[in-house]
Amino acid sequence: MSKYDVTELKKALLYHRIVEWDSDHLLLDDGTKVTIECTEQDCCADAWGEFKNVKLDAVITDVKLENERTVNPYGDEDEAVNSVDIVIYHNRNRIATAECNADNGNGGYYYSVGAVRVKDVCYTVVDC
């Protein structure tokens, strides 16, 4: 279970349709643009993400954070990348997935925070 509560993110997305997408954004039927952004970072750390496998013309009925994981991409125990998938559902069917990542930079000395931006509000989903 994620340490982040997605209740407010759900309120922003539920019952809208995704009408356009690419790896950087979703566009909802009311004109709302949804992006993944690094909202905080220091020095060598970063947060990023991308949308994948999006199906258009289905109403969003649920949003969940799934598949939380930590990897050490360089074999360095101090430096890590934390990841989480934001999965958007229509009923029980996945209609979009966003892979979100945050790393703690060179040698693990830094931090970053990744969020989903809906309009002007950022909803934190991953940090490291």
Side-chain angles (χ1 to χ4, degrees), residues 111-124:
Y111 76 96
S112 64
V113 177
V116 174
R117 180 183 292 272
V118 181
K119 296 184 180 177
D120 291 331
V121 179
C122 289
Y123 304 92
T124 298

Side-chain angles (χ1 to χ4, degrees), residues 5-13 123:
D5 183 0
V6 296
T7 303
E8 294 302 314
L9 176 59
K10 283 184 183 184
K11 287 179 186 177
L13 297 178
Y123 304 92

Side-chain angles (χ1 to χ4, degrees), residues 7-17 28-29 59-63 88-89:
T7 303
E8 294 302 314
L9 176 59
K10 283 184 183 184
K11 287 179 186 177
L13 297 178
L14 289 182
Y15 312 116
H16 290 284
R17 288 184 308 109
L28 304 182
D29 56 359
V59 174
I60 298 168
T61 59
D62 200 6
V63 178
I88 299 173
Y89 289 92

